[in-house]
Amino acid sequence: MAQIFHRSTNFIARFSVFSFIFIMGFAVLAVLEAARSPYMTRQNITREQPVQFSHKHHVGDDGIDCRYCHTTVEISAVAGIPPTKTCMNCHSVLFSNAGYLDPVRESYRTDTSIKWVKVHRLADFVYFNHSIHVNKGVGCTTCHGPIDQMPLVFQASTLLMQWCVDCHRNPAPNLRPMDKVFAMDWQPGADQEELGQQFMKEREIRTAAELTSCSTCHR
Amino acid sequence: MSAGQPPLDSPETRRLTPVLGPGHTFGSVTDKISSIVLTRPTSFGWYMGFLIAFGLTGLLTIAIAWLFTKGTGIWGINIPIGWGFAIVNFVWWIGIGHAGTLISAILFLLNQKWRTSINRFAEAMTLFAVACAGIFPLIHTGRPWMAFYMFPYPSTMGVWPQFRSPLIWDVFAVSTYGTVSLIFWFVGLIPDLATLRDHAVKKPAQIIYGMLSMGWRGSARHWHRYQSAYLLLAGLATPLVLSVHTVVSFDFAIAIVPGWHTTIFPPYFVAGAIYSGFAMVLTIAIPLRKAYGLEDFITMRHLDNMAKVMLATGLIVAYGYFFEMFLSLYSGNKFDVFLVEQRLHGPYAPFYYALILCNILLPQTLWSHTLRHNVAFLFFMSIVVNVGMWLERFVIVVISLTRDFVPSAWGRYWPTFWDWATFIGTIGMFVTLLFLFVRVLPAISIAEMRELVAETSEDKK
């Protein structure tokens, strides 16, 4: 009787057994990696806005303080997007004929809001509070990246829960002096480790267990 | 043979003989079993049975699709009774699976020769029962697409499962149990798949069985390693049988609900699992030997032994019922005493009495040698025990939940059409898989039957 399997199937058999482990391993790694990829988190992708508003120009070139527009960031859970009136404080006279400001003037004239596209979108079951972070000395750029260099805003952080929890377990490396919270150019110095611990005590920042209990965010 | 060989009429010889009909050789055993798969034409009965079972599997698919569309509210569960048919059926199916592993692993370790001709389909029964059981923990969750959160993997949320919950232990217990059972079953199949490969006439069958048998040549070296591996797997599977159903019993015993919080649950659940499992093995074995003329292999001795195991485990279960009730009364705790009253006089009392009838009273007939040798009666009893063990889980899950600590939270649970459709659907799926198994794989281990032939004939020399 003829042999059922040709000699060449020896190789196929060995290769399939050997490669199975690698294929499965890579498949698992690929799934885990894909979940963290910018494709899933939408990190580093600029979004088209109704008005081509440039933070780079207003913050980087003109030196406007963050709180001029995002007025409620120190007192409210929501940092707030400035209303059309804030734009018109200057643009009623500045570049008052510029074409790319048409939507702003249109909004002002017709009393309808500009439909800004939200870049940092958290799920509704996460109750993020801006004021507590700002008041405990977490700076804007720690989470939002170098806003002063962004012509159009993109999401600099992953916004994955893992990312939130990492800092809540160990906030010290990200704490700044209170007068540097809105500074765009702050970088941690060599003494950050020491300073961070000092800030933790001074500002009575709670323990990791308290900061990472479910009700901190998922209320 | 050596001087240690038992004489002709030794109890050892007599014990072995009835496990196999007289006059069988290696060839006749092989032909008989492999012909079911290879040469016998597929019968009309097989097609009809398969079609009916497959239709019920379709019902399962519809029930699950509707469940995923509308949510768990299509079932009869409510706020006091959050666990209904899904958990009752889960525990029932898992319990059924346990006899397969008991037969293949524990009886192997105890060197019981009569396991040989029933272990293969008992293991298949385990696998299919675990497959049916495994559906329920997934679909009884409100958001089944999130079920993967129950596995410990490095998630993007930086959170892990709660390892103190017995429901998480269930995930590990059932997935390990399923995997080990599958490997154990497959290892046992390898020499038989090689036999089928060598007996197959058509090229596709040769290739399929050839690939599945993975180049088994049956050399002494193969057999030596095979037997070590089989023994090790049997040793691994044995603690699994005990622990898996223990973990399932923890789902209840960990809770504070009266009727659930009982330390007797782990051993009593395991005994119940083996009880219902053996009942299911009988339910399958009796039609199987009839349909395929396997009376020489699955002899009266097998049925008799299985009935005895059923009787023994049934008595352990009866002990469990008695002591559960005794300790509830002995505790003096008013909630525990009330639970006893609920079982005896509450709205679900008929279920409890039916349970006592099916699991304790009727199986006492198995003490009789005559009745144990009446195949039709055994078949009837196996069905009775299956029903009884289903009622046991219903009583434990539902009665305890309907009336617990706070009277304002008393409720009722009655299954809806979709509860029944899911349950009957899993029965359909189980039978479908069994039909496929009987058709394409040897239902009895050929290699081990040949060993049995060798042992019985050597004894007679």
Side-chain angles (χ1 to χ4, degrees):
Chain A
M1 197 179 84
Q3 293 291 326
I4 303 172
F5 298 102
H6 187 256
R7 283 178 68 91
S8 61
T9 49
N10 278 338
F11 171 76
I12 297 172
R14 285 195 195 111
F15 183 76
S16 59
V17 172
F18 179 75
S19 59
F20 180 76
I21 302 162
F22 291 96
I23 291 170
M24 291 311 287
F26 278 123
V28 171
L29 278 181
V31 169
L32 291 179
E33 209 46 55
R36 290 159 174 78
S37 68
Y39 180 75
M40 294 298 286
T41 62
R42 306 191 71 196
Q43 199 185 348
N44 300 336
I45 300 168
T46 52
R47 316 280 208 283
E48 196 67 26
Q49 299 286 358
V51 184
Q52 303 306 302
F53 178 83
S54 167
H55 276 84
K56 180 176 165 31
H57 173 70
H58 290 84
V59 184
D61 304 346
D62 298 345
I64 299 173
D65 188 89
C66 305
R67 289 161 289 184
Y68 180 76
C69 299
H70 302 289
T71 50
T72 54
V73 72
E74 289 171 300
I75 52 165
S76 159
V78 185
I81 291 173
T84 307
K85 277 184 181 165
T86 309
C87 306
M88 292 305 280
N89 285 348
C90 300
H91 289 295
S92 54
V93 290
L94 216 57
F95 303 118
S96 54
N97 292 322
Y100 53 79
L101 286 173
D102 276 348
V104 180
R105 289 190 294 269
E106 174 74 12
S107 158
Y108 193 68
R109 198 164 48 242
T110 60
D111 207 21
T112 49
S113 301
I114 301 173
K115 290 199 167 63
W116 296 105
V117 174
K118 205 165 183 185
V119 176
H120 293 80
R121 282 174 56 190
L122 286 181
D124 285 350
F125 51 77
V126 186
Y127 297 95
F128 180 79
N129 190 326
H130 268 96
S131 63
I132 190 67
H133 290 88
V134 167
N135 288 317
K136 295 285 179 181
V138 180
C140 304
T141 54
T142 302
C143 304
H144 291 290
I147 282 281
D148 60 326
Q149 291 157 39
M150 294 182 193
L152 276 177
V153 172
F154 57 85
Q155 181 188 318
S157 311
T158 61
L159 299 189
L160 293 175
M161 182 173 148
Q162 173 85 72
W163 172 77
C164 301
V165 165
D166 279 346
C167 184
H168 274 213
R169 284 190 181 132
N170 181 24
N174 294 318
L175 297 179
R176 317 181 175 189
M178 290 310 291
D179 58 340
K180 297 286 185 206
V181 167
F182 297 99
M184 287 290 126
D185 54 353
W186 181 84
Q187 290 293 330
D191 55 347
Q192 176 61 26
E193 206 168 314
E194 205 179 305
L195 270 177
Q197 291 305 330
Q198 190 194 320
F199 293 149
M200 294 276 287
K201 278 203 193 71
E202 279 173 9
R203 298 169 193 172
E204 293 173 338
I205 290 173
R206 298 194 188 194
T207 61
E210 286 171 288
L211 288 180
T212 57
S213 75
C214 307
S215 59
T216 305
C217 307
H218 304 287
R219 300 180 190 179
Chain B
M1 291 299 285
S2 61
Q5 195 61 35
L8 197 73
D9 58 342
S10 71
E12 181 72 5
T13 313
R14 260 185 281 124
R15 206 171 57 78
L16 280 174
T17 317
V19 179
L20 183 65
H24 272 293
T25 62
F26 293 153
S28 70
V29 168
T30 309
D31 288 342
K32 180 95 191 171
I33 301 170
S34 63
S35 71
I36 298 175
V37 179
L38 294 173
T39 49
R40 261 175 87 122
T42 312
S43 65
F44 179 73
W46 189 92
Y47 279 116
M48 284 316 293
F50 180 79
L51 270 181
I52 293 168
F54 195 65
L56 291 177
T57 315
L59 181 66
L60 176 68
T61 317
I62 294 167
I64 292 177
W66 190 239
L67 175 78
F68 285 5
T69 316
K70 299 295 280 187
T72 47
I74 63 168
W75 290 345
I77 48 173
N78 46 53
I79 289 301
I81 305 101
W83 280 1
F85 260 38
I87 302 298
V88 172
N89 299 334
F90 164 67
V91 182
W92 189 69
W93 276 121
I94 281 284
I96 283 171
H98 279 56
T101 323
L102 183 99
I103 289 168
S104 53
I106 297 181
L107 295 184
F108 179 75
L109 294 181
L110 297 174
N111 207 15
Q112 293 295 310
K113 293 292 170 208
W114 62 277
R115 78 179 261 289
T116 305
S117 46
I118 51 174
N119 74 331
R120 172 65 46 72
F121 70 82
E123 283 170 50
M125 181 197 79
T126 295
L127 279 177
F128 306 152
V130 170
C132 291
I135 291 174
F136 287 106
L138 285 181
I139 66 168
H140 95 288
T141 58
R143 296 182 176 84
W145 50 92
M146 298 293 189
F148 63 92
Y149 282 7
M150 289 187 287
F151 285 98
Y153 70 99
S155 71
T156 58
M157 302 165 292
V159 292
W160 299 84
Q162 170 57 279
F163 288 106
R164 285 184 288 191
S165 163
L167 300 177
I168 293 296
W169 307 341
D170 267 351
V171 174
F172 289 95
V174 174
S175 55
T176 310
Y177 187 53
T179 314
V180 171
S181 300
L182 181 68
I183 292 173
F184 197 29
W185 185 65
F186 182 70
V187 167
L189 267 168
I190 291 172
D192 282 10
L193 291 166
T195 303
L196 290 182
R197 168 199 67 196
D198 298 341
H199 281 70
V201 187
K202 288 177 187 153
K203 192 81 184 172
Q206 287 179 346
I207 289 174
I208 291 167
Y209 291 121
M211 279 170 73
L212 287 173
S213 63
M214 302 195 295
W216 176 266
R217 282 171 287 120
S219 74
R221 196 175 289 196
H222 278 183
W223 277 111
H224 175 67
R225 297 215 168 117
Y226 172 86
Q227 275 165 349
S228 316
Y230 201 77
L231 186 64
L232 280 173
L233 279 171
L236 268 175
T238 301
L240 263 182
V241 181
L242 304 181
S243 64
V244 169
H245 218 65
T246 296
V247 166
V248 171
S249 82
F250 282 162
D251 293 348
F252 308 99
I254 293 280
I256 57 163
V257 178
W260 283 11
H261 190 68
T262 318
T263 50
I264 203 173
F265 267 18
Y268 142 65
F269 263 56
V270 173
I274 293 162
Y275 190 35
S276 67
F278 265 88
M280 189 57 102
V281 177
L282 274 177
T283 316
I284 297 168
I286 291 169
L288 186 72
R289 75 201 278 270
K290 183 89 182 154
Y292 289 105
L294 297 171
E295 280 91 349
D296 275 0
F297 299 155
I298 305 171
T299 62
M300 277 321 296
R301 197 191 147 76
H302 291 102
L303 303 186
D304 185 52
N305 277 351
M306 286 193 270
K308 282 178 185 165
V309 175
M310 255 171 66
L311 180 61
T313 49
L315 288 172
I316 302 177
V317 169
Y319 174 89
Y321 294 159
F322 173 74
F323 260 88
E324 213 186 0
M325 189 154 282
F326 171 74
L327 289 172
S328 290
L329 296 172
Y330 188 65
S331 73
N333 181 317
K334 62 182 172 187
F335 295 110
D336 282 346
V337 175
F338 182 66
L339 176 82
V340 175
E341 272 170 37
Q342 278 314 302
R343 289 189 173 174
L344 296 177
H345 308 299
Y348 294 96
F351 287 84
Y352 191 70
Y353 292 120
L355 156 73
I356 298 295
L357 181 73
C358 291
N359 277 359
I360 302 183
L361 298 180
L362 288 179
Q364 297 313 312
T365 52
L366 294 175
W367 288 98
S368 150
H369 184 268
T370 326
L371 288 177
R372 280 205 311 272
H373 284 253
N374 183 336
V375 177
F377 181 77
L378 271 185
F379 187 69
F380 167 72
M381 273 319 298
S382 72
I383 301 282
V384 165
V385 171
N386 275 323
V387 173
M389 285 308 294
W390 186 88
L391 286 169
E392 180 199 298
R393 278 67 179 247
F394 184 86
V395 162
I396 289 172
V397 172
V398 174
I399 297 189
S400 311
L401 285 177
T402 41
R403 293 194 168 173
D404 60 2
F405 298 108
V406 187
S408 62
W410 286 357
R412 286 279 200 287
Y413 167 80
W414 294 110
T416 62
F417 168 78
W418 295 108
D419 280 306
W420 284 110
T422 317
F423 177 40
I424 292 167
T426 50
I427 294 176
M429 178 178 133
F430 179 75
V431 178
T432 307
L433 291 168
L434 266 183
F435 267 76
L436 287 175
F437 157 73
V438 169
R439 187 67 195 83
V440 300
L441 290 171
I444 296 175
S445 170
I446 304 172
E448 287 187 47
M449 288 306 280
R450 288 199 206 114
E451 253 176 71
L452 204 62
V453 170
E455 280 169 44
T456 40
S457 60
E458 267 169 26
D459 288 343
K460 276 180 187 159
K461 261 174 218 159

